[in-house]
Amino acid sequence: MKFGPRRGHVMAIFERFFRDFGLLLAALVLCLFLGDFQLLLENGNLVVLVLIAPVLRLIQYLTTRYSIDGERLIIESGLFQKKRRELPLANITTVDFTQSLIFQMAGVYAVHVDTNSSIGSGDSGQVKMVLNGKDAIFVKKLLLARQQDLREDRISEEISGNTVMASPGELVLMGLSRSQILIAVQMIAYGSAAVGILDKIFTRAHIDGDQVLQASLMKLSVPLLVFILLTALYLISVIVSVLLTMVKYYGFRVTDREESLFIEYGLLTRRTYTLMKEKISGISYNQPFVMRLLRRGTVEVFAAGYGGSDENDEKEIALLYPILRREKLSDFLERFLPEFQDTQEPVKARPRAFLWFFLCPRFFFAAVFFFAMWLVPVPYPAVTAGLKGLGTLTLLAAAGSVVLEFKNTALAAGEKSFLLIGGGYTKKMVLLKTDKVETIEETASLRKRRKRRLTDIGVGILAPKEVANHKVRNLGLEVFENAREKLVY
């Protein structure tokens, strides 16, 4: 054996320290501040529940061993029922490092290993080890030896002429394009709870934060109240989104290593990814409506082991570059992924296909909602006018999305790559390697195919299941035939 068999680092037990113990620590600090520990004594059962997850991770740590020989990674685990998994080194697609705040303090790394089998359902092709810095570098060398990427002698990559870094301004723009109203609602909920907690600490009185906010808001007129709430929700969502984006993608940079791409980012949680270029199936250029007005978009990559859900079960974006000008996209790809450069001129949807774009669920449900708002009787005229206006706006918004989808839709097939363009308010350009295309299909009703010679075209690639299938609607049958001829089965 070149490595092991051995356990990972003991800090694996505390990987989710703040999630496991955050509530308990907050309660302990509050009790110390108030000088009253009765709260903990009365909720001893909750304390026991908090400790269950760390105990289970302790058992997993003590019963799991890793080893590497010249051909495979071996994982042996289990207390009463032993399990042995073997992952061939030749099938490994990515070996990545993640370092949470607690791991940064301890100087250890979570090493994530993905293989081709992790593309499908389940996690049979995924392995995570917690190692110190020296062992993490050594293990990565061994795991990537079959891909001839042997230059790994450090965790981070030095800035060089092959490196492009995202500026703070670009991260701010990315945060602006991703602001969500749900964040604002959560912040208001936390704010009302904070009012009650702070009041209890400083005045020793029991005042409900929700009641305080409600009493203040009820003093305002209805139009002013609606305006203030909508404005506050939007501003809070924008501010929080920008801050979260800046923290998560702080120091984002991508480096070309000839055979691979090295991606590094993060402040509180530092992440590094090494993507073998031959394992990359495609890229996408996404432009939310605001970003389209600024002629900018986000570049994402389709590769096993990058994207999906992270260790905290949060949506992880497979980001290749945060915000890039539309006119710079071609130069960026030529520099880092030149195999995506030979796509032909895309064929757009023809005028005869326009009405067929309205046959979609979002427009159908918007139309149902519109008629419901106009036909359901309401005894109050002001409420009736508001509901009718809401129904009309919903229908107009859905119609606008459909019109934009018609204008955006296009497809081109080249010898090396496919280009699919679609989307409504968010325009999405997808470039796929032709040799990574596994399936291509067309779907249409008999009337649509015979009368209009239109069809929906779907392309499936070798990639994580969330991004494995891509589709454009209502293109000509001849577009499908041309695309099919480019494939080599």
Side-chain angles (χ1 to χ4, degrees), residues 18-29:
F18 294 106
R19 173 183 287 190
D20 292 340
F21 300 104
L23 185 61
L24 184 60
L25 289 175
L28 182 61
V29 170

Side-chain angles (χ1 to χ4, degrees), residues 268-391:
L268 299 181
T269 299
R270 196 66 185 164
R271 305 176 188 273
T272 66
Y273 294 91
T274 299
L275 306 180
M276 305 307 298
K277 290 185 179 180
E278 64 178 13
K279 304 292 185 180
I280 295 176
S281 299
I283 64 104
S284 68
Y285 184 68
N286 304 324
Q287 293 181 284
F289 187 73
V290 175
M291 289 296 101
R292 286 183 64 187
L293 298 178
L294 300 175
R295 295 189 60 79
R296 287 173 170 83
T298 299
V299 186
E300 299 178 16
V301 63
F302 307 143
Y306 189 23
S309 298
D310 62 11
E311 66 270 15
N312 295 317
D313 297 324
E314 298 176 352
K315 181 64 177 178
E316 179 72 12
I317 302 172
L319 202 62
L320 187 57
Y321 200 75
I323 292 292
L324 189 69
R325 287 182 177 273
R326 176 65 183 88
E327 54 270 20
K328 293 185 178 181
L329 178 61
S330 180
D331 292 338
F332 180 86
L333 294 178
E334 184 177 1
R335 178 175 181 178
F336 291 99
L337 295 170
E339 58 269 35
F340 290 102
Q341 289 297 302
D342 76 329
T343 302
Q344 301 173 358
E345 187 68 23
V347 179
K348 297 183 177 181
R350 297 181 178 179
R352 67 170 182 259
F354 177 70
L355 295 179
W356 290 93
F357 279 91
F358 286 87
L359 297 179
C360 61
R362 66 179 180 277
F363 187 77
F364 172 78
F365 288 114
V368 171
F369 182 75
F370 169 79
F371 286 112
M373 293 299 97
W374 278 78
L375 298 179
V376 173
V378 179
Y380 304 102
V383 176
T384 301
L387 293 177
K388 289 182 178 180
L390 180 61

Side-chain angles (χ1 to χ4, degrees), residues 142-413:
L142 295 177
L143 295 177
L144 293 180
R146 299 296 293 272
Q147 277 93 1
Q148 289 81 44
D149 193 351
L150 302 178
R151 295 171 295 164
E152 291 289 341
D153 57 358
R154 56 187 178 273
I155 299 295
S156 182
E157 177 67 81
E158 295 178 355
I159 298 177
S160 66
N162 296 326
T163 300
V164 175
M165 292 193 64
S167 67
E170 290 173 330
L171 296 181
V172 169
L173 285 177
M174 182 182 178
L176 290 174
S177 69
R178 297 180 181 278
S179 55
Q180 298 180 9
I181 203 69
L182 180 60
I183 296 177
V185 175
Q186 292 174 340
M187 293 299 295
I188 289 178
Y190 297 151
S192 64
V195 170
I197 293 174
L198 293 174
D199 191 81
K200 177 177 175 58
I201 291 175
F202 292 107
T203 67
R204 304 290 180 138
H206 295 275
I207 297 180
D208 192 335
D210 292 328
Q211 292 182 354
V212 173
L213 290 176
Q214 184 178 1
S216 301
L217 293 175
M218 290 300 294
K219 298 178 181 179
L220 304 175
S221 63
V222 174
L224 181 60
L225 177 61
V226 172
F227 175 77
I228 292 176
L229 286 178
L230 292 178
T231 303
L233 287 174
Y234 176 74
L235 292 177
I236 292 174
S237 65
V238 168
I239 293 171
V240 173
S241 179
V242 169
L243 291 176
L244 291 178
T245 300
M246 293 287 289
V247 170
K248 184 171 185 177
Y249 295 105
Y250 172 82
F252 187 98
R253 57 188 179 183
V254 55
T255 303
D256 185 14
R257 291 178 171 175
E258 296 182 358
E259 301 297 326
S260 64
L261 295 178
F262 180 85
I263 297 172
E264 182 178 13
Y265 62 86
L267 181 61
L268 299 181
T269 299
R270 196 66 185 164
R271 305 176 188 273
T272 66
Y273 294 91
T274 299
L275 306 180
M276 305 307 298
K277 290 185 179 180
E278 64 178 13
K279 304 292 185 180
I280 295 176
S281 299
I283 64 104
S284 68
Y285 184 68
N286 304 324
Q287 293 181 284
F289 187 73
V290 175
M291 289 296 101
R292 286 183 64 187
L293 298 178
L294 300 175
R295 295 189 60 79
R296 287 173 170 83
T298 299
V299 186
E300 299 178 16
V301 63
F302 307 143
Y306 189 23
S309 298
D310 62 11
E311 66 270 15
N312 295 317
D313 297 324
E314 298 176 352
K315 181 64 177 178
E316 179 72 12
I317 302 172
L319 202 62
L320 187 57
Y321 200 75
I323 292 292
L324 189 69
R325 287 182 177 273
R326 176 65 183 88
E327 54 270 20
K328 293 185 178 181
L329 178 61
S330 180
D331 292 338
F332 180 86
L333 294 178
E334 184 177 1
R335 178 175 181 178
F336 291 99
L337 295 170
E339 58 269 35
F340 290 102
Q341 289 297 302
D342 76 329
T343 302
Q344 301 173 358
E345 187 68 23
V347 179
K348 297 183 177 181
R350 297 181 178 179
R352 67 170 182 259
F354 177 70
L355 295 179
W356 290 93
F357 279 91
F358 286 87
L359 297 179
C360 61
R362 66 179 180 277
F363 187 77
F364 172 78
F365 288 114
V368 171
F369 182 75
F370 169 79
F371 286 112
M373 293 299 97
W374 278 78
L375 298 179
V376 173
V378 179
Y380 304 102
V383 176
T384 301
L387 293 177
K388 289 182 178 180
L390 180 61
T392 302
L393 288 176
T394 302
L395 185 63
L396 291 175
S401 174
V402 171
V403 172
L404 288 175
E405 184 185 5
F406 164 72
K407 296 180 65 176
N408 293 336
T409 298
L411 185 146

Side-chain angles (χ1 to χ4, degrees), residues 115-144:
T115 69
N116 288 327
S117 60
S118 66
I119 291 177
S121 59
D123 59 354
S124 61
Q126 299 177 341
V127 177
K128 182 170 69 174
M129 301 174 280
V130 177
L131 305 171
N132 61 43
K134 182 179 179 180
D135 286 342
I137 294 173
F138 181 63
V139 165
K140 187 171 185 178
K141 282 186 176 182
L142 295 177
L143 295 177
L144 293 180

